[in-house]
């Protein structure tokens, strides 16, 4: 697939770019690049917020406040999508706590999952999750790791038709069950697919990402840093001299820019416990994005490290 | 099977070390100084039990049962399940072990033959390791002593002390075998979890497993 700077910029919400430069100078990004959800045209910022591990803090008030501060910084920086799952233990109540502190921002795009092997209990699980978040309904509910997807997916599609959620999706991670993911993408009316994709895990470029474009399915990218391992792996090495051409100030932004510059990617969802990191992540969703030639250069550089 | 093969140890841990050890610190703070009562009570009962004092022998397993019950209720059910949904199953296993200990009291006198000297002494060492050394492991692990793991409060020293006591008190008969699997399985789970969290305390749990098997095998010779 040919990706040029022009095509990389196409599909992004360019209007958000216009007020960006002066606000960036103050370190407070007001604008953020967006991509449309193919099913509706609704614009989503290309950086979201994951919650695996980072928001699982139990009832520790200090850590809950830290997470609430991350959520506040996320919305302040223009973010919308927060993604979680019943599998993440206390992450859901932590999100609910943060949202309550902020008065439930209207900007929120709530992405949840159903994760239970007994399909008849899926509805109750989604309802429990909704209670933790404190939202009227979820924007997106995904079948987590394809658990009992044959039963959950029709139920979610029915809920969507009844107006009880807005979008339906499926998820996987770390390259698992991609053949099955492809099959579902080709045969089922899903709006979103979530998977792992980063500068070293590029297998989705072969089939899944092109299929997502062909079928009009939005793509959420999880584990953009391989749970922080990529940043730790590269941070001792120098960023390339030409990093300014990628628009990245640091390794995290370098890695995120690579992901969100793929035209099939709708949103990447890095997770963090730190306000400075969430700001850095959102900053990656501004300015220019690498074109195909630059993406190849980025790959060659990190693979040589 | 092929999909499970793609998971690594770290994929199965859903919280950060900071969250886990802060949970332990807050738990310790909430119950302080109960920790001292548990350690003192255990030394007063388990040490004489291991040296053959009849009344202490009778009281040893009920004391251990109380410790497993407390750990199941206060640590697993009330706290650990908040950050790991799977710990509700661990709470069940700890309750089961409490039941097994309550239903398998050590006889006032040795009835099933003497333990080998090695097993007896090794059991006492394990027991003392669980009671006295485990709380100190926080220090070499680079953690605050507020996160010290203490018998009856936390599962690892409880399992270690139980293994040591069973080895020292239940002697060479088959009576003690039923009391060993759950503590051993817990030590294995805990060791792997702590390894994934990159906490040096992992090696203590794994060493306890090795020591237990060495003492059991030595006794069979």
């Amino acid at each position: 697939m040919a990706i040029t700077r022009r095509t990389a910029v196409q599909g992004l919400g360019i209007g958000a770019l216009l007020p960006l430069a002066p606000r960036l100078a103050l370190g407070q990004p007001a604008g953020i690049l967006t991509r449309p959800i193919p099913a509706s045209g609704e614009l989503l910022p290309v950086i979201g917020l994951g919650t695996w591990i980072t928001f699982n803090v139990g009832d520790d008030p200090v850590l809950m406040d830290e997470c609430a501060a991350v959520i506040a910084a996320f919305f302040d920086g223009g973010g919308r999508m927060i993604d979680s799952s019943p599998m993440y233990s206390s992450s859901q109540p932590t999100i609910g706590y943060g949202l309550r502190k902020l008065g439930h921002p209207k900007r929120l795009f709530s992405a949840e999952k159903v994760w239970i092997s007994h399909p008849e209990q899926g509805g109750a699980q989604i309802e429990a999750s909704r209670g933790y978040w404190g939202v009227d309904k979820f924007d997106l509910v995904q079948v987590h790791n394809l658990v009992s997807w044959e039963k959950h997916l029709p139920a979610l599609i029915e809920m969507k038709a009844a107006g009880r959620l807005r979008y339906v999706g499926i998820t996987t991670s770390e390259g698992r069950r991609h053949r099955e993911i492809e099959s579902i993408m080709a045969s089922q009316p899903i709006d979103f697919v979530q998977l792992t994709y980063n500068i070293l895990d590029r297998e989705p470029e072969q089939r899944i990402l092109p299929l997502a474009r062909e079928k009009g399915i939005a793509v959420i990218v999880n584990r953009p840093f391989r749970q922080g391992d990529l940043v730790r792996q590269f941070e001792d090495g120098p960023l390339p001299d030409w990093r300014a051409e990628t628009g990245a100030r640091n390794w995290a932004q370098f890695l995120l820019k690579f992901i969100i510059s793929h035209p099939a990617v709708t949103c990447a969802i890095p997770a963090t416990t730190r306000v400075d990191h969430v700001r850095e992540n959102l900053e990656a969703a501004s300015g220019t994005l690498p074109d195909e030639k630059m993406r190849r250069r980025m790959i060659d550089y990190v693979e040589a490290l | 099977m092929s999909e499970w093969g793609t998971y690594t140890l770290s994929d199965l841990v859903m919280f950060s070390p900071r969250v886990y050890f802060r949970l332990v610190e807050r738990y310790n703070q909430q119950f302080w100084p109960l920790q001292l009562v548990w350690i003192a009570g255990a030394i007063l009962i388990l040490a004489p039990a291991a040296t053959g004092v009849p009344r202490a022998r009778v009281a040893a397993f009920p004391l251990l049962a109380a410790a497993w019950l407390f750990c199941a209720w206060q640590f697993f059910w009330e706290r650990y399940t908040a950050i790991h949904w799977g710990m509700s199953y661990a709470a069940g296993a700890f309750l089961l072990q409490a039941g097994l200990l309550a239903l398998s009291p050590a006889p006032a006198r040795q009835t099933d033959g003497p333990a080998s000297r090695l097993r007896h002494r090794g059991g006492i060492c394990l027991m003392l390791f669980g009671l006295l050394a485990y709380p100190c492991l926080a220090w070499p692990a680079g953690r605050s002593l507020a996160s010290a793991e203490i018998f009856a409060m936390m599962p690892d020293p409880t399992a270690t002390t139980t293994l040591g006591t069973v080895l020292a008190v239940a002697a060479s008969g088959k009576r003690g075998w039923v009391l060993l699997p759950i503590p051993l399985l817990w030590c294995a789970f805990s060791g792997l979890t702590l390894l994934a969290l990159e906490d040096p305390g992992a090696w203590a749990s794994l060493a306890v497993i090795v020591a237990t098997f060495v003492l059991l095998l030595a006794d069979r010779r």
Side-chain angles (χ1 to χ4, degrees), chain B residues 56-107:
Chain B
R57 284 178 58 88
V58 171
F61 284 7
L63 172 79
L64 291 173
W68 282 76
L69 182 65
F70 185 88
C71 204
W73 170 37
Q74 286 296 333
F75 181 67
F76 284 108
W77 191 255
E78 294 288 335
R79 288 166 180 82
Y80 202 176
T81 52
I83 59 169
H84 194 320
W85 46 265
M87 289 304 102
S88 55
Y89 300 105
F94 268 58
L95 273 179
L96 175 62
Q97 178 73 7
L100 291 172
L101 284 160
L103 295 171
S104 312

Side-chain angles (χ1 to χ4, degrees), chain A residues 37 39-40 42 109 139-141 160 165-169 191-192:
Chain A
I37 299 169
S40 65
E42 177 181 0
F109 185 97
D139 293 297
L140 165 64
V141 178
K160 178 186 169 185
L165 51 88
R166 298 174 61 216
Y167 302 102
V168 167
D191 306 307
F192 279 81

Side-chain angles (χ1 to χ4, degrees), chain A residues 176, chain B residues 1-8 11:
Chain A
R176 298 184 186 103
Chain B
M1 281 300 292
S2 58
E3 188 184 343
W4 279 107
T6 65
Y7 286 89
T8 63
D11 291 325

